[in-house]
Amino acid sequence: STSPLLPAANPPAWLGVMGGGQLGRMFAQAAQSMGYQVAVLEPSDACPAGQVAQRLVNAGYDDAAGLDALAAQCLAVTTEFENVPADSLSRLAKHVFVAPDAHGVSVAQDRIAEKRFFVDCAPKSGVLPAPHMVIATQDDIDAIGDDLLPGILKTVRMGYDGKGQFRVRTRDDVRAAFAEMGEVTCLLEKMLPLAYEVSVLTARGVDGQSVVYPIAENVHRDGVLFTTTVPGPNVSDDCAARAQRAAQAMVAELGYVGVLCIEFFVLEDGSLVVNEMAPRPHNSGHYTMDACVTSQFAQQVRAMARLPLGDVRQHSPAVMLNILGDAWFAGDSDVAIEPAWDHILALPGACLHLYGKDDPRRGRKMGHLTLVASTLAQAQQRLRDACLILG
Ligand code: ADP
Ligand code: MG
C-alpha cells in the first residue's frame, strides 16, 4: 500500500491517528490548521487528542470494528503510539494508506528486533548499538560475560521514559531485576560512559526523499526527557553530520514513510552509539513547533498525505523544557499549587503548550515550554528563569 502512484490526500480529507495522547493532540492540531479533519482511535474516552479531534473512535487498539471504522472514514492513518499492535496496522493497510507501516513500527517496538536492525544496518549507517545480549532464562544470566557489566536490564517491550529498566552491577543484580520484572524477556546492555545524548528527527516521503532536522541535544532526569537544546552546545559539526547520515541510511533501509526519531549516545571518546528509535514524532522534536519552518507534526501530515515534505530549516535557537506534574506541587510537599503561567509567559520568546490533562501527577508529562531567542545563550538564560518559576 505504499504505492507512490496513490494520489495525495488533500484537505479537507479525514486523517486518522492511532493513539490519543499529547502527540496525537499536536498531530491533530497541525492537521486541522492545514484544513484536514482528524479521527482518533483510543480506548480511554478522556484523552488529550480526543479533546481536539473531530471524531474519537473509542475502541481498543486491536478492536476490529474500531479499526474498520477508522479505515472507512480516512484517506490515511498514522500512529502516535509506538506500541500499537503491528497487526492492527496491517489490518488498516488493507483498506487505507498507513504510514509508518507495520514493519517499521514492529522493529521499533521490540528492543531485540531494533538492536538487530541497527547491527544489520551498521555497514550503511556507520554506527553500532551498545554491546548487549538477550536475557530470557536463568541460563542466559549465567552466561553473561564480564564485559557487559555494569549494565542496564531493559524489558524488550513497552518500556518508555526509563520505565521497565534496572541498573545492574552483578549477575545477582540481574537475577533480582529479572525476577522483579516477572521473568519477561529482557535485553542487557552494557552501561556506556555517556558524554551527552542527541536525537535526530527525520521524515521520509513515499517517493523515497528524506529530510533531516538539525540535531538535538537532550538531557534526561530520572529517565524522563528534561530539556532539548538546538543547536546542541556540545555537538560538533562532525558528530551532527555522522548522526544525520546514519539516520538517513536507517530510514531508507526500513523503507519508512513518515516522521521517525533516532536517539544516539555520544561517548566520552567522541564515538557515536545508536540507542533506540521512535516511529513517530518525538518529545525531543517539540522545539520544531516554534523554531522550524515545518513542525514535526505538520511534517507527519505531509508524509502520510503523500504531499511534498516541508522545509526543516530552524529559524531560532531554541530550548524545550518538559513540564511535569511536579510543577503543580509546592516543593517536595503534597500542597497543590497553580504554576505561575503569568510569570512564564512574561519571559520573552516563551511558547507554552499544555496538553489538556486534568490531573497533574508527579512525573507525568503535562505540557512543554519552548524558549526561542535570537541567540542560544539568551534562550538558555530564559530556560534557567523558567526553571526557577516552575520550581
Ligand atoms: P526509554 O525507552 O525509556 O527512553 P532508553 O533506552 O532510551 O529507554 O534509556 C533511557 C535513558 O537511560 C537514556 O536516555 C540514557 O540516559 C540511559 N541509558 C540507556 N541505555 C544506556 C546505556 N547502555 N549506557 C548508559 N546509559 C544508558
Ligand atoms: Mg529513550
Side-chain angles (χ1 to χ4, degrees):
S1 70
T2 54
S3 167
L5 299 174
L6 212 56
N10 287 315
W14 283 84
L15 301 179
V17 57
M18 295 288 287
Q22 62 262 21
L23 299 174
R25 176 185 176 99
M26 291 183 277
F27 165 82
Q29 291 168 330
Q32 288 166 340
S33 79
M34 291 167 73
Y36 288 96
Q37 302 170 84
V38 177
V40 169
L41 185 145
E42 158 69 39
S44 74
D45 55 0
C47 61
Q51 293 170 3
V52 305
Q54 280 93 345
R55 180 171 179 202
L56 174 62
V57 178
N58 222 186
Y61 300 126
D62 58 357
D63 181 89
L67 293 168
D68 292 348
L70 198 67
Q73 182 149 40
C74 299
L75 284 194
V77 174
T78 189
T79 179
E80 64 108 44
F81 171 59
E82 70 200 71
N83 291 315
V84 40
D87 286 350
S88 296
L89 298 180
S90 301
R91 181 182 180 106
L92 286 166
K94 294 197 179 107
H95 309 284
V96 61
F97 180 75
V98 177
D101 66 7
H103 172 62
V105 173
S106 65
V107 172
Q109 69 189 192
D110 179 312
R111 289 194 198 271
I112 297 175
E114 186 178 55
K115 287 282 192 289
R116 193 177 304 134
F117 169 74
F118 289 149
V119 170
D120 291 347
C121 201
K124 288 177 185 154
S125 72
V127 293
L128 280 166
H132 59 275
M133 74 177 278
V134 176
I135 304 289
T137 65
Q138 294 292 335
D139 288 350
D140 293 332
I141 299 178
D142 295 332
I144 296 170
D146 289 335
D147 55 325
L148 282 183
L149 294 170
I152 303 188
L153 193 68
K154 302 180 181 179
T155 55
V156 166
R157 291 187 159 266
M158 299 287 175
Y160 70 100
D161 286 349
K163 294 182 175 66
Q165 292 191 14
F166 284 87
R167 299 195 167 208
V168 289
R169 303 200 65 83
T170 64
R171 283 179 200 80
D172 283 342
D173 288 352
V174 178
R175 247 182 278 281
F178 186 55
E180 177 81 14
M181 291 194 272
E183 307 207 352
V184 294
T185 303
C186 289
L187 200 82
L188 175 66
E189 264 179 60
K190 183 183 176 68
M191 176 77 78
L192 299 174
L194 312 190
Y196 57 93
E197 299 186 54
V198 297
S199 56
V200 176
L201 189 67
T202 80
R204 186 170 176 277
V206 274
D207 58 358
Q209 295 292 314
S210 62
V211 293
V212 188
Y213 283 88
I215 190 165
E217 187 172 329
N218 301 316
V219 175
H220 295 84
R221 272 196 187 170
D222 302 324
V224 183
L225 184 65
F226 176 56
T227 60
T228 294
T229 303
V230 193
N234 289 300
V235 181
S236 67
D237 289 349
D238 172 62
C239 165
R242 278 183 292 146
Q244 291 179 325
R245 214 181 307 123
Q248 273 184 308
M250 289 178 197
V251 286
E253 186 68 18
L254 280 174
Y256 192 87
V257 176
V259 171
L260 179 120
C261 184
I262 306 180
E263 297 178 10
F264 296 88
F265 299 143
V266 182
L267 306 190
E268 285 161 3
D269 66 2
S271 57
L272 197 64
V273 171
V274 59
N275 176 34
E276 61 170 356
M277 58 189 181
R280 50 169 174 79
H282 190 258
N283 196 165
S284 68
H286 289 352
Y287 82 93
T288 62
M289 298 171 81
D290 302 300
C292 294
V293 176
T294 309
S295 80
Q296 61 173 346
F297 300 103
Q299 200 69 280
Q300 184 77 307
V301 171
R302 287 166 176 256
M304 74 189 288
R306 302 176 296 278
L307 289 164
L309 296 181
D311 188 350
V312 294
R313 190 172 57 83
Q314 183 181 5
H315 46 66
S316 299
V319 184
M320 188 279 318
L321 172 72
N322 266 335
I323 302 174
L324 303 183
D326 304 63
W328 276 257
F329 296 95
D332 291 333
S333 76
D334 295 337
V335 178
I337 56 167
E338 181 78 359
W341 301 127
D342 51 343
H343 292 162
I344 287 291
L345 292 169
L347 296 171
C351 307
L352 179 64
H353 302 265
L354 292 175
Y355 306 147
K357 298 182 183 179
D358 55 16
D359 65 328
R361 289 191 303 271
R362 286 191 184 274
R364 185 175 197 210
K365 289 177 180 171
M366 300 296 290
H368 70 270
L369 179 72
T370 302
L371 297 148
V372 296
S374 47
T375 66
L376 180 62
Q378 231 168 34
Q380 288 172 310
Q381 180 54 50
R382 287 170 191 156
L383 169 82
R384 287 189 286 273
D385 296 340
C387 287
L388 288 176
I389 296 166
L390 291 173

